[in-house]
Amino acid sequence: MSIFSIVVLVVRGGLLLLGAIASYALLARALKISDKYGDETNIGTL
């Protein structure tokens, strides 16, 4: 493997990990938000 391939692999893994953490955080926030704003507005996922 060349140095470029290793760098691309590390950057790809980092972005995948960052995306997974962000999606989990958004899902957790959407599930924890209360329904005090009403059913027609889902403020937690904005």
Side-chain angles (χ1 to χ4, degrees):
M1 261 182 158
S2 68
I3 299 288
F4 180 73
S5 297
I6 293 171
V7 170
V8 169
L9 184 66
V10 168
V11 169
R12 185 184 303 167
L15 287 175
L16 183 65
L17 182 65
L18 185 64
I21 292 170
S23 63
Y24 175 75
L26 285 173
L27 178 65
R29 181 176 175 180
L31 292 177
K32 278 193 243 181
I33 194 77
S34 65
D35 290 335
K36 65 181 177 182
Y37 295 108
D39 292 332
E40 70 278 352
T41 307
N42 196 357
I43 301 296
T45 57
L46 290 178

